[in-house]
Amino acid sequence: MHSIFSRINNVSALLSSCMMALLAAIAISSFVLTADPKGDLGLLSVKVYPATGAKRAHAKQELAFVNFNVTADLRPLFHWNTKQLFVWVEAEFNNTKKSENAVALWDRIIRRKEDANLKVTGKNKYMLRELTKSFKNAGPAHYSLKYNVMPYVGVLTYGEAARTDAPVEFPPVQQRV
């Protein structure tokens, strides 16, 4: 009546339809299983220095160094569909041309729920500099701890776990000793 190839085709079509329905249910469940983690981000110091080095000797550029303290419990973000978290500290400020800047200062990838209880005291991992070469006329910066949940199936979700209470001004340039 039916050949073996048509029976194999029917079975594989049924299995692929069931698989797609299962993946769609998993992706939709990511929107239902949301958490709102809380943390604390404290700034220990913000210092601005002139750039030094052979490449920067002719360019009068300023670099900012931020020491911060992060404590956050991100374990509620881990569930059965969470592959990993990407966490970063971000500085947001307006420059002299009134354009908004968002700069990542520090980041970490968290792959296990056991590692998601953050207690970090550190400094910026990436250089914080102003494109107009000086922080003198830059506006105050808001610092925040942000995260990105990367699921096995579904869309990436972004959020914010902590934010500084008030914006922080960039101090005047200090000379290195």
Side-chain angles (χ1 to χ4, degrees):
M1 185 129 163
H2 292 291
S3 69
I4 188 77
F5 296 115
S6 96
R7 291 176 191 214
I8 291 173
N9 186 22
N10 288 339
V11 169
S12 67
L14 175 66
L15 291 177
S16 65
S17 297
C18 292
M19 180 66 77
M20 288 304 203
L22 179 65
L23 291 176
I26 290 171
I28 290 171
S29 72
S30 293
F31 293 112
V32 175
L33 299 172
T34 59
D36 190 23
K38 295 295 178 200
D40 185 38
L41 174 63
L43 293 181
L44 303 176
S45 68
V46 177
K47 297 179 181 176
V48 178
Y49 294 106
T52 59
K55 292 182 181 179
R56 303 262 182 227
H58 65 280
K60 302 293 182 190
Q61 181 125 30
E62 296 175 357
L63 302 176
F65 295 93
V66 180
N67 291 324
F68 57 87
N69 185 15
V70 173
T71 55
D73 186 13
L74 303 176
R75 290 179 293 188
L77 294 172
F78 276 91
H79 50 78
W80 58 275
N81 192 25
T82 302
K83 182 177 182 180
Q84 65 185 14
L85 293 178
F86 182 69
V87 182
W88 70 97
V89 173
E90 184 176 86
E92 301 169 354
F93 62 95
N94 292 332
N95 65 2
T96 55
K97 297 179 181 177
K98 301 299 182 213
S99 64
E100 294 180 10
N101 296 313
V103 180
L105 301 176
W106 170 89
D107 64 3
R108 179 177 287 172
I109 295 174
I110 303 171
R111 292 189 170 92
R112 299 182 315 148
K113 185 176 186 174
E114 295 82 26
D115 300 333
N117 194 7
L118 292 178
K119 288 182 174 71
V120 178
T121 300
K123 61 179 183 173
N124 51 327
K125 188 176 177 182
Y126 305 110
M127 189 170 25
L128 175 57
R129 62 183 179 162
E130 170 57 43
L131 292 176
T132 59
K133 300 188 185 269
S134 176
F135 286 103
K136 185 170 34 171
N137 295 325
H142 293 274
Y143 297 90
S144 58
L145 176 68
K146 297 191 176 188
Y147 63 87
N148 178 0
V149 179
M150 298 176 188
Y152 287 107
V153 177
V155 256
L156 300 174
T157 55
Y158 294 88
E160 187 174 288
R163 191 175 216 17
T164 53
D165 295 331
V168 179
E169 293 283 341
F170 288 104
V173 178
Q174 299 176 1
Q175 296 300 323
R176 292 188 186 241
V177 190

